[in-house]
Amino acid sequence: MERGAIDIAELAGPFDLQATVESGQSYLWNRADGDTYADLHAHGGDEWYETVVSPIPGVVDERVPLRVRHEGGVHDGTLYWESATDAVPLIEHLFRLDDDLDAILDATPDLPLLERAYDAYEGMRLTRDPVFPCLISFICSAQMRVARIHGMQRRLRETYGDVVELGGERYHAFPTPEQLAARTEAELRDLSLGYRAPYVQRTAEMVASGEADPLTAADLPYEEARESLTRFVGVGDKVADCVLLFSLGFLEAVPLDTWIRTTIEEYYPDCERGNYAETSRAIRERFGGEYAGYAQTYVFYYLRAGGE
C-alpha cells in the first residue's frame, strides 16, 4: 500500500473534500464512519472516504482501491491518501484539482444567489467519475433522494462487484457492464432499484455488447453529446446532462432537476421556455455559459440544504 498527501495550498483555489463528495455529484464513495449523505449540509469534515475507482481511459487502466481524508482548511489543509498505487494523478482527475477554481467562479455572473452558494460551500469542486458507474448512478436517480441513490449503488457494488483489497481491508468495485448485464430484472429489483431495474440491465447490456459506448459522447459538441447519451435506456436529457457534467467534463451542462427548475421559477422565470432544450440553453446562458455547470452544482447543493 502506498500513502501520500496533497498540499491544498499549492492548488489553484480552495478544496473541500466532503462538500465535493457529498453534494449529489457522485454516489461511488463510502464514508468510513457509515454516514455518507446523512447530513444535507455536509462540508468541512475530516472523515476517510473510500472507493474502488473503475478504469478511466488515459488515467488508469485497472481498478484502484483508494482512501482519502481532508484535514485542515479549504485553503491550507492537507488531503491524505492511501492506495495500491501513486494516487496523485488519479485524485487530481477525480476531483478536478487541476481546475483554477477561483478563476472559474469569477468567470460566472455576479448573481446574488450564486454568491451565497459559493460562500456556503467554498472549495466544492466538480467530480470527474468513471463514466459507466456515473451513468448507472444517475439512471437510478429519478425521483430519489441522494441517500437512497447512494444506497442503491452501494448494494450494486456489494452484491455484484469484485472484491479488491487494500491494507488488509476488502472493498467492492462497481460492477462491470458485463456483470450487470448478466443480472435479471428480478435480481435488480431485489436491491430496491424498482422500475429502474430493467433500465440498468438493458443499459449495461448495451455497453457490454458494444452496441453503444457512453465515452463516444466526450468527442461531440455539447448538445450532440447530450442527445447521444439518450440512446441508453432510462436516460433522458437530465440524466444525460448529469453524466456530461460529472464524468465527461462538459462544464457548461446544466441538468434541469427539481432544484434547478425551482430556481428558474423563483429567481429567473424568464429562462423558462417550455421545453428542456430551450430552457436549458437559457439558464446556461444566465449562469455564464462556459462554466454554468459549476454554478448549477453550487445552487443545487445550496438550495437542497435549505439555503435561500
Side-chain angles (χ1 to χ4, degrees):
M1 180 169 65
E2 296 193 26
R3 294 183 173 90
I6 296 173
D7 184 354
I8 292 173
E10 295 182 358
L11 303 178
F15 177 63
D16 185 322
L17 175 64
Q18 185 178 22
T20 300
V21 171
E22 294 196 56
S23 52
Q25 306 180 58
S26 177
Y27 300 95
L28 307 179
W29 294 84
N30 286 337
R31 210 164 89 186
D33 67 357
D35 285 338
T36 319
Y37 283 113
D39 186 356
L40 286 179
H41 187 59
H43 67 103
D46 61 1
E47 298 292 336
W48 282 100
Y49 289 86
E50 305 164 339
T51 192
V52 177
V53 184
S54 298
I56 303 172
V59 180
V60 63
D61 296 327
E62 56 188 3
R63 292 173 297 191
V64 177
L66 176 62
R67 303 181 73 235
V68 291
R69 181 185 184 189
H70 181 176
E71 290 187 2
V74 299
H75 293 280
D76 57 2
T78 303
L79 188 63
Y80 295 98
W81 60 265
E82 298 177 351
S83 184
T85 186
D86 177 10
V88 172
L90 183 55
I91 292 169
E92 289 176 344
H93 177 88
L94 292 172
F95 299 136
R96 301 195 65 94
L97 300 185
D98 49 342
D99 283 351
D100 186 336
L101 185 59
D102 289 334
I104 286 173
L105 300 189
D106 285 345
T108 60
D110 293 329
L111 300 174
L113 177 61
L114 297 188
E115 295 302 321
R116 294 195 295 274
Y118 295 161
D119 289 344
Y121 298 106
E122 185 180 21
M124 184 177 73
R125 291 173 181 252
L126 292 184
T127 57
R128 199 155 37 189
D129 277 341
V131 67
F132 180 71
C134 182
L135 177 63
I136 296 300
S137 294
F138 283 100
I139 287 175
C140 292
S141 71
Q143 299 178 323
M144 297 293 285
R145 301 190 313 274
V146 292
R148 293 192 64 190
I149 302 166
H150 178 264
M152 287 181 183
Q153 309 320 302
R154 178 178 52 77
R155 288 190 292 274
L156 286 174
R157 292 193 300 270
E158 293 176 354
T159 306
Y160 301 122
D162 293 334
V163 172
V164 179
E165 293 193 0
L166 177 68
E169 298 293 329
R170 293 160 56 88
Y171 303 95
H172 289 86
F174 197 86
T176 64
E178 292 77 13
Q179 287 172 322
L180 283 184
R183 309 275 51 96
T184 66
E185 178 181 335
E187 288 173 322
L188 295 175
R189 284 184 181 273
D190 284 344
L191 300 184
S192 301
L193 268 66
Y195 69 85
R196 306 158 194 83
Y199 303 162
V200 168
Q201 194 280 332
R202 176 62 183 130
T203 287
E205 186 177 67
M206 293 173 71
V207 178
S209 68
E211 179 182 342
D213 182 353
L215 274 175
T216 60
D219 298 322
L220 299 173
Y222 163 57
E223 293 193 0
E224 291 181 28
R226 184 174 65 201
E227 179 65 24
S228 170
L229 289 177
T230 62
R231 293 176 297 167
F232 294 98
V233 180
V235 177
D237 289 329
K238 191 272 285 188
V239 169
D241 267 336
C242 289
V243 177
L244 293 177
L245 182 59
F246 302 131
S247 175
L248 297 181
F250 286 80
L251 300 186
E252 68 269 47
V254 177
L256 296 185
D257 60 17
T258 299
W259 293 104
I260 298 305
R261 289 191 179 278
T262 298
T263 300
I264 292 171
E265 180 181 348
E266 295 184 1
Y267 294 91
Y268 315 112
D270 58 306
C271 291
E272 176 55 60
R273 304 295 169 84
N275 64 73
Y276 190 101
E278 293 300 324
T279 301
S280 175
R281 191 174 296 126
I283 191 63
R284 189 164 71 246
E285 292 173 356
R286 182 62 54 87
F287 282 168
E290 183 178 5
Y291 301 118
Y294 256 106
Q296 179 271 345
T297 304
Y298 272 88
V299 167
F300 166 86
Y301 194 30
Y302 177 71
L303 295 180
R304 187 175 68 83
E308 297 180 350

